[in-house]
Amino acid sequence: MRISTTSCLCPFLVCLCFIQRCSGTGHHVPTKVPSKNQTKLANGETEVHHRPKRGWIWNQFFVLEEHMGPDAQYVGKLHSNSDKGDGSVRYILSGEGAGTIFIIDEVTGDIHATKSLDRERKTHYVLHAQALDRNTEEALEPKSEFIIKVQDINDNAPKFPDGPFVATVPEMCEVGTSVLQVTASDADDPTYGNSAKIVYSILQGQPYFSVDPKTGIIRTALADMDREAREHYTVVIQAKDMAGQVGGLSGSTTINITLTDVNDNPPKFPQKNYQLYVPESAEVGKPVGKIKANDDDLGVNADIKYSIINSEGANMFSISTDRETREGIISLKKLLNYERKKTYTLHIEGTNTHVDPRFSYLGSFKDTATLKITVGDVDEAPIFSMDYYILDVYENSPSGTEVGAVTARDPDSRNSPVRYFMDSKEDGERYFRIDEIRGVIRTMQPLDREDTPWHNITVMASEVDNPNLNRHVPVTVQVLDMNDNPPEVSTEEEVIVCENSRPGQVIQTVTAVDKDDFANGQRFSFALPSHLPVNPNFTLKDNEDSTASIIARRRRFNHLTQELYELPVVVWDGGEPSLSSTSTLTLRVCPCQRHGKIRICQGEAFLSSAGLSTGALIAILLCIIILLAIVVLFVTLRRSKKEPLIIAEEDIRENVVTYDDEGGGEEDTEAFDIIALRNPAAAEELKFRRDIRPEARGHCSLPHNHKTPSVELDEVDVQEFIRQRLVEADMDTSVPPYDSLQTYAYEGQGSSTGSISPLDSVAAPSEQEYNYLEDWGPEFRRLAELYEDSESDVTT
């Protein structure tokens, strides 16, 4: 079987097919050695492999895209070697587009395309062919696969998918500097013909730019392009397929190219000489004028730094650059004085801060200008001889005492007279006045250094010709000290005297305070009043270092006998004249610790260390006692708790009656009368329970036929009596309990060990030593002292 196409119809292929068919009928020559197409079997025979028939084997057909003819486009022909031309062979086509796009003549095997195909949408189709016997429907040839490829034609123009483009290139760059690469795409088949072979050319933008025809790289074509002359360029690039030949398709795109700035222009002042008028009243640090140099560059390339290059102008003025406007701001460094100097000349230089060394051949990137400043005469306020004044005066000086003087003058050439006055806006009491002509300041009342040691006032001066023009100056007046305050003994700390003090022992060191200053209040002398009799308890020793020591004169003090003592002390200062005062100290006697140096009472020490007051400690102790009582009560109730009786749910009274009166034992007949338990008559009468409501007592009492076990109550023990009552209460089922709780407790006959209470103990002298209690800790020292004191009192 064979396949015939348009190219296979040549006589050469017909002859080749005929020879191939005839070769299949050749005689077979047996031989012992198998040839390449033979296989030796196990039984010694050989199997001959016949060559496959090439007539039914093919790869692909071709069909042109975009066929616009009126008839279906012929694709190719299928033909089997079994086809004798009598119509007995039927050809069948299946696969992609079979029956819709591609149709086949079942008799002749001719294949036609019924529709116009587009290679850019689908490049090939995979189909399957079969040759069947028309009568028996048996396959004459195996099912074979082939491909119909859509052959490309130049039907797509090149396109720039990313256009239009925007690019930048520095100005003044060299010829051939790369700007941008553009790439066009063509949907045609690049492997077939020249349909997708693109060539680039420039349509607009010459002579400034050029394009590489193969790569599409755009480059500069003109040297020294100046941004200041022209900044924006529009370039049009064309892409043409078919390698640029006639008949090829083309597409174009636009590139907007901008020249970026470089520092190729120095700053320039519009003129070389400037003039500026500045009044002499201009404030220091404030701007007084502006100057600007022009620069055609942009951004940092146009940044300018201004400076004053001559010493005359640099001493009086300064210049800085405004970053937004790039102007030079001129400010005043010192006060101007028209009477001293009327004009100033400034040489100002403007320099680029970012210089590009590639353009150094263009010259220095700076420029200079001259600024002449004329100082204007202004009527100025008076000027004080000092920026501030510090004066002093002694305290207690009489009213009208001179403190000092201030002076001011008119700085103008006419030298107008000056008048002085106090600032009326100051609040508070007025202590000073000023002479309006001479500027002399005097006191208006005596001053007290201990009340106000410093006074701050403001003095103002104005010209007589122009009172509205004035100037002020601060004046500080120091009040000098005089020894007018006697010293006093410092009584901030309480003086504590220990009960176990010895004669000659220092009780405490005292100091003094004086309201006067260092010169009159640092040396103090102490003594007891001479007009009083000698104190039998304490004496005073002057330590000659502005302190004194209180010394005990006798042994042992007792705070129970006398807790407070008063000790008058006289103290002198070292001023001129010397002043003195008498202060009375209160000495408190306290039982101090034995071997310590603590000078406060033990009770106070305990409270101080704990940081709590006496009321807080009492409250804490009460809380602890209440908590212990609750715990004891809870434990007692737990031990005496019994299971409640089962009663009806509808008859719940929720009434709990508790009998709990322990008393003081069998011997305590005041709190609890035990005779009631030993009286049978009284016991028989108490038939009704106390926890039953009054109206229910009639039917809740015990039945008449209920017999209590006969017990001789006069001879029975109380414990046995309580046990009998308990049994009686448990056995009585006729009376509901109504949630009542009955508690029976028996304390017993008493303790065989006797009472441990110290109330009935006989106080008798003992020879017991209690010093060993001190070894147990500081908590037991006081206990030892109490026992020793009590024994000494009994002995006495």
Side-chain angles (χ1 to χ4, degrees), residues 179-251:
V179 179
L180 180 69
Q181 181 179 11
V182 293
T183 303
S185 61
D186 196 320
D188 294 326
D189 189 359
T191 63
Y192 180 77
N194 294 328
S195 298
K197 189 175 182 179
I198 299 174
V199 174
Y200 299 95
S201 61
I202 184 168
L203 300 181
Q204 179 182 338
Q206 295 174 335
Y208 306 103
F209 299 95
S210 63
V211 64
D212 190 299
K214 295 182 179 180
T215 62
I217 297 177
I218 302 173
R219 302 179 185 274
T220 58
L222 188 65
D224 299 335
M225 287 190 294
D226 191 3
R227 185 199 65 82
E228 288 73 30
R230 182 179 177 182
E231 184 177 3
H232 301 287
Y233 295 85
T234 300
V235 178
V236 179
I237 301 297
Q238 182 189 63
K240 189 174 184 181
D241 59 10
M242 298 297 293
Q245 299 177 4
V246 178
L249 304 178
S250 64

Side-chain angles (χ1 to χ4, degrees), residues 296-556:
D296 295 333
D297 296 322
L298 300 176
V300 296
N301 297 321
D303 288 345
I304 302 175
K305 180 182 179 181
Y306 298 93
S307 58
I308 302 175
I309 58 178
N310 65 319
S311 59
E312 177 186 354
N315 291 334
M316 292 296 297
F317 299 91
S318 63
I319 189 170
S320 60
T321 304
D322 189 327
R323 293 186 177 182
E324 294 183 0
T325 62
R326 293 188 175 91
E327 294 176 328
I329 308 300
I330 303 171
S331 302
L332 191 62
K333 294 175 64 176
K334 299 179 181 179
L335 286 174
L336 298 175
N337 192 333
Y338 174 82
E339 287 72 25
R340 294 182 180 179
K341 191 173 179 61
K342 296 179 175 59
T343 59
Y344 292 90
T345 300
L346 279 66
H347 297 295
I348 301 176
E349 181 183 72
T351 307
N352 279 144
T353 57
H354 298 81
V355 179
D356 195 336
R358 295 179 300 173
F359 307 102
S360 59
Y361 64 92
L362 297 177
S364 60
F365 284 76
K366 59 183 179 181
D367 194 16
T368 58
T370 301
L371 175 63
K372 184 177 181 181
I373 296 179
T374 301
V375 180
D377 186 17
V378 178
D379 190 6
E380 301 176 79
I383 299 176
F384 285 94
S385 61
M386 300 177 64
D387 295 334
Y388 59 91
Y389 293 86
I390 299 178
L391 308 176
D392 54 61
V393 62
Y394 279 100
E395 65 175 332
N396 302 325
S397 298
S399 177
T401 301
E402 181 178 345
V403 178
V406 296
T407 57
R409 64 176 182 85
D410 182 10
D412 298 323
S413 57
R414 56 185 179 180
N415 195 13
S416 175
V418 177
R419 295 293 181 263
Y420 305 94
F421 56 93
M422 294 285 187
D423 189 358
S424 59
K425 297 181 180 180
E426 292 183 349
D427 299 331
E429 187 177 359
R430 300 294 296 270
Y431 294 95
F432 305 95
R433 57 184 176 87
I434 189 170
D435 189 315
E436 65 174 8
I437 298 177
R438 297 186 301 158
V440 177
I441 301 174
R442 299 179 181 275
T443 61
M444 297 180 64
Q445 58 180 316
L447 306 178
D448 187 2
R449 189 201 68 85
E450 287 72 34
D451 182 22
T452 307
W454 296 86
H455 293 269
N456 296 317
I457 59 176
T458 302
V459 175
M460 304 184 68
S462 64
E463 297 180 5
V464 175
D465 299 338
N466 189 2
N468 296 326
L469 192 63
N470 55 65
R471 195 184 302 272
H472 61 271
V473 66
V475 178
T476 301
V477 179
Q478 180 184 8
V479 182
L480 302 179
D481 182 59
M482 295 186 66
N483 193 19
D484 57 345
N485 292 278
E488 297 178 357
V489 177
S490 179
T491 57
E492 295 180 357
E493 297 182 0
E494 187 178 12
V495 181
I496 302 300
V497 180
C498 291
E499 290 183 334
N500 55 359
S501 299
R502 301 181 304 274
Q505 180 178 349
V506 177
I507 302 301
Q508 188 168 335
T509 301
V510 295
T511 59
V513 293
D514 195 330
K515 294 182 180 179
D516 295 323
D517 66 0
F518 178 84
N520 297 316
Q522 287 297 315
R523 298 182 300 274
F524 301 108
S525 301
F526 301 86
L528 296 177
S530 58
H531 64 279
L532 296 178
V534 177
N535 193 317
N537 301 313
F538 306 98
T539 186
L540 188 69
K541 177 186 177 183
D542 191 350
N543 298 326
E544 297 182 357
D545 58 354
S546 298
T547 64
S549 299
I550 301 174
I551 301 175
R553 301 189 63 177
R554 68 183 182 89
R555 183 184 301 273
R556 299 184 65 87

Side-chain angles (χ1 to χ4, degrees), residues 674-683 710-718 720-721:
I674 199 65
I675 299 177
L677 294 176
R678 299 184 181 276
N679 188 357
S710 59
V711 180
E712 295 296 336
L713 296 179
D714 293 336
E715 299 177 359
V716 75
D717 188 78
V718 176
E720 181 62 23
F721 174 76

Side-chain angles (χ1 to χ4, degrees), residues 119-134:
R119 190 201 66 85
E120 285 70 37
R121 293 186 178 181
K122 190 172 180 61
T123 60
H124 64 278
Y125 297 85
V126 180
L127 295 98
H128 298 85
Q130 282 184 295
L132 304 177
D133 190 310
R134 187 178 297 275

